[in-house]
Amino acid sequence: GAVVSQHPSRVICKSGTSVKIECRSLDFQATTMFWYRQFPKQSLMLMATSNEGSKATYEQGVEKDKFLINHASLTLSTLTVTSAHPEDSSFYICSAIEGGRGVWAPLHFGNGTRLTVT
Amino acid sequence: EDKVVQSPLSLVVHEGDTVTLNCSYEVTNFRSLLWYKQEKKAPTFLFMLTSSGIEKKSGRLSSILDKKELSSILNITATQTGDSAIYLCAPFGQGGSEKLVFGKGTKLTVNP
C-alpha cells in the first residue's frame, strides 16, 4: 500500500538554528501534501497545504517565513523551521494525497517528527 | 470557518463492550469524511466515507455518514484493549484549497 516516509523522526536543536523535515511519498505521486502540528494531548492542526510546483497555502496564524515549505517534486515536500525557538517544539506530521490512483483524499501520514528546541 | 465536533471527548469501557463515536461537521464544499486511529505516533487511516447511508466495515469497526445531518458515527463492537487510542474524524472539503480539518478526537480507553 501507499507509504509516506517522514524524516527525521526525532530532532533536537538549539534555539536559533533551522531544522528541515522531509516528507516523501514512496510509491505514488503526491501532487498535494499537508503539514500538521500536534501539541501534547491536542488534535492535529493544519499548518499548510503544499502543492507541487507552486507556493504553499498557509493557514491563518502560521508564519510562512518561519515555516518554509518546498514541494519541488511529486514525491517530496520539505518543511524548514527557521530560527527555531523553544515554543516551536512540537510533533510535526505530513500527509499526502494519493491523487494518482483516483482517490482524492489524504489517506496516509508520515510517522511524524518530534522537534525539541533547547 | 470549517468546524468539526467529536463526542464524547473521552470514553472508558470494558473489554467486550460496544462503543459509538460521533462526529459532526461543517465544511465548505464537502467531499468526504475520514476516520483515523491515533496511538502513539501518526494517525492510521480507518475509513473514507463519501456517500450517505452506506456503511463501511472493517472487522469489528464500522462507520456510516449522514450528509443530511452533517454527521458520522464510528462503531466498535467487542472492544479489545488494543482499541485504546484517540479516534479522529476529519471532513475533507474544497474551500480555497483542499484541506483536511481534524476534530479534537475521542480518547477511547478499553480496560481488561
Side-chain angles (χ1 to χ4, degrees):
Chain A
V3 176
V4 176
S5 174
Q6 190 172 337
H7 179 81
S9 58
R10 187 177 291 269
V11 58
I12 301 172
C13 71
K14 291 188 176 180
S15 190
T17 60
S18 294
V19 174
K20 181 185 281 188
I21 302 169
E22 293 187 349
C23 180
R24 293 180 185 273
S25 57
L26 297 187
D27 61 353
F28 65 97
Q29 293 184 332
T31 53
T32 301
M33 290 186 175
F34 300 90
W35 286 96
Y36 294 86
R37 183 174 180 174
Q38 187 172 35
F39 291 103
K41 298 183 180 180
Q42 293 190 28
S43 188
L44 294 159
M45 286 182 52
L46 179 65
M47 297 175 66
T49 303
S50 167
N51 296 298
E52 187 269 334
S54 64
K55 290 183 179 180
T57 303
Y58 289 82
E59 293 300 301
Q60 194 172 7
V62 178
E63 298 175 61
K64 61 181 180 181
D65 294 331
K66 180 167 186 62
F67 298 100
L68 300 178
I69 291 173
N70 185 287
H71 195 155
S73 78
L74 285 170
T75 59
L76 174 64
S77 175
T78 60
L79 168 68
T80 301
V81 184
T82 62
S83 187
H85 288 98
E87 58 265 31
D88 298 324
S89 299
S90 190
F91 191 52
Y92 294 87
I93 309 176
C94 70
S95 178
I97 283 186
E98 200 176 348
R101 299 186 182 186
V103 178
W104 192 254
L107 303 183
H108 306 286
F109 284 79
N111 278 332
T113 297
R114 171 72 61 192
L115 170 63
T116 303
V117 184
T118 61
Chain B
E1 186 180 325
D2 296 338
K3 292 180 184 176
V4 186
V5 177
Q6 288 188 248
S7 63
L9 291 179
S10 181
L11 189 57
V12 181
V13 300
H14 291 290
E15 268 193 318
D17 289 350
T18 293
V19 298
T20 298
L21 311 182
N22 301 285
C23 174
S24 63
Y25 62 89
E26 292 178 31
V27 171
T28 304
N29 296 330
F30 175 85
R31 262 188 150 157
S32 58
L33 185 136
L34 294 87
W35 282 96
Y36 293 87
K37 176 182 181 182
Q38 185 174 25
E39 294 172 271
K40 290 184 180 178
K41 286 196 171 180
T44 54
F45 170 76
L46 295 176
F47 298 109
M48 181 173 74
L49 307 165
T50 53
S51 301
S52 232
I54 298 175
E55 185 183 53
K56 291 214 170 179
K57 292 195 74 170
S58 177
R60 295 176 293 102
L61 278 66
S62 64
S63 185
I64 196 163
L65 176 68
D66 186 338
K67 283 186 179 179
K68 189 175 178 183
E69 296 296 325
L70 303 182
S71 66
S72 174
I73 60 171
L74 174 69
N75 283 316
I76 308 175
T77 59
T79 52
Q80 301 172 358
T81 54
D83 295 327
S84 296
I86 296 174
Y87 291 85
L88 298 165
C89 110
F92 186 52
Q94 188 173 10
S97 61
E98 293 86 357
K99 59 182 183 180
L100 193 65
V101 179
F102 283 89
K104 291 186 177 180
T106 293
K107 183 178 180 181
L108 174 65
T109 303
V110 182
N111 291 321

